[in-house]
Amino acid sequence: MPKISPLAVVDPKAELARGVEVGPFCVVGPHVKIGPNTRLMNNVTVIGHTTLGSENTVFPNAVLGAAPQDLKYKGAPTRLTIGDGNQLREAVTIHIGTEKGGGLTSLGDNNLLMVNVHLGHDAKFGSRCVLGNNVMIAGHVVCGDNVVLLGAAGVHHFVTIGDFAYIAGAARIHHDVPPFVKVADDDKIRALNKIGLERAGVSHAEIEELDEAFRRLFTGRGKKAFSQRLDEFDVANGLSPQVTRIIEFLRRRDLGKHGRYLEAMRE
């Protein structure tokens, strides 16, 4: 049976699986579903149509499932879903989706969200991501797997972040971030994320191919326009799967507005 502190307020309609722990001064709303062995420490608020999977740990003062910070939101039963094995540290806030944004905010598995991280409405994050203290994610952001955002990084709404991207502390991200790269300051692509790729078990040969593609795309900027350098890659002829992913990502980005593919999809 769930272990619920007598000092917590848990709506009787909430669904709590076996092994769930709810600490003192927590509030759990009527439309909440919490999976096995998830632990809410003290002073956690989980409301709205929110579902948490198994083996999550939610630290004090986190608020999950609150209404989105969107003036167009009128109380629709939009949702927040959180997967398994996540660590949500103190004062993390994640809001439910909006009607026009698809109605769903989602977080995958085995992510670490450090103190005071905010995920805005309709954001969709993958798995095994690390978000440092005070990271700010605006609404409608889509993020892949194995992404690192260091402290105080801010991401503009409708931005897409590719797998294995590494975003420096206090970076200001306004444009889509390709997979496998390091980004700092105002959208400046600095290097290939070699360490992240090595830790993920990507082979040396594959990293070398990515590094060559990176140098062709993002260095020597005075010689050719970026569009010309991009056109030199033929995704149908001999490119590795990882290089193909970068090229396809960049070409899709060019179809958007203001460097954001999803921006063109807003209507």
Side-chain angles (χ1 to χ4, degrees), residues 108-255:
D109 304 326
N110 301 307
N111 298 286
L112 170 59
L113 276 60
M114 298 185 192
V115 172
N116 208 42
V117 166
H118 173 69
L119 260 59
H121 59 82
D122 305 294
K124 294 175 176 59
F125 266 66
S127 298
R128 300 175 302 281
C129 298
V130 177
L131 280 65
N133 295 345
N134 302 300
V135 164
M136 300 166 286
I137 305 296
H140 310 280
V141 169
V142 174
C143 181
D145 299 329
N146 302 293
V147 170
V148 175
L149 293 100
L150 298 186
V155 182
H156 194 282
H157 61 272
F158 290 99
V159 160
T160 302
I161 302 173
D163 295 345
F164 290 99
Y166 184 98
I167 296 176
R172 301 165 297 280
I173 305 302
H174 310 87
H175 309 316
D176 292 350
V177 178
F180 314 127
V181 302
K182 290 184 174 183
V183 181
D185 304 319
D186 281 319
D187 303 295
K188 292 182 180 178
I189 297 176
R190 299 290 194 184
L192 187 69
N193 184 15
K194 293 182 181 180
I195 294 176
L197 292 168
E198 290 171 355
R199 288 174 176 171
V202 178
S203 71
H204 179 73
E206 290 173 309
I207 292 174
E208 285 296 311
E209 287 184 278
L210 283 168
D211 193 40
E212 180 184 355
F214 178 89
R215 286 185 276 106
R216 289 173 60 187
L217 285 166
F218 301 113
T219 61
R221 298 182 181 183
K223 298 178 182 179
K224 293 182 180 179
F226 183 76
S227 60
Q228 291 177 305
R229 280 174 270 151
L230 194 58
D231 287 341
E232 292 175 352
F233 290 85
D234 182 2
V235 297
N237 186 23
L239 295 182
S240 71
Q242 290 81 6
V243 173
T244 298
R245 286 175 64 186
I246 289 182
I247 300 305
E248 290 179 343
F249 185 100
L250 291 168
R251 288 175 177 168
R252 192 185 81 149
R253 184 178 71 176
D254 287 346
L255 300 176

Side-chain angles (χ1 to χ4, degrees), residues 34-55:
I34 302 179
N37 302 316
T38 285
R39 182 186 179 195
L40 310 183
M41 294 186 179
N42 59 286
N43 300 84
V44 173
T45 300
V46 186
I47 53 179
H49 288 75
T50 297
T51 300
L52 286 87
S54 63
E55 305 286 347

Side-chain angles (χ1 to χ4, degrees), residues 82-94:
I82 295 173
D84 304 328
N86 296 288
Q87 299 283 321
L88 308 181
R89 294 304 303 253
E90 296 85 349
V92 163
T93 55
I94 310 178

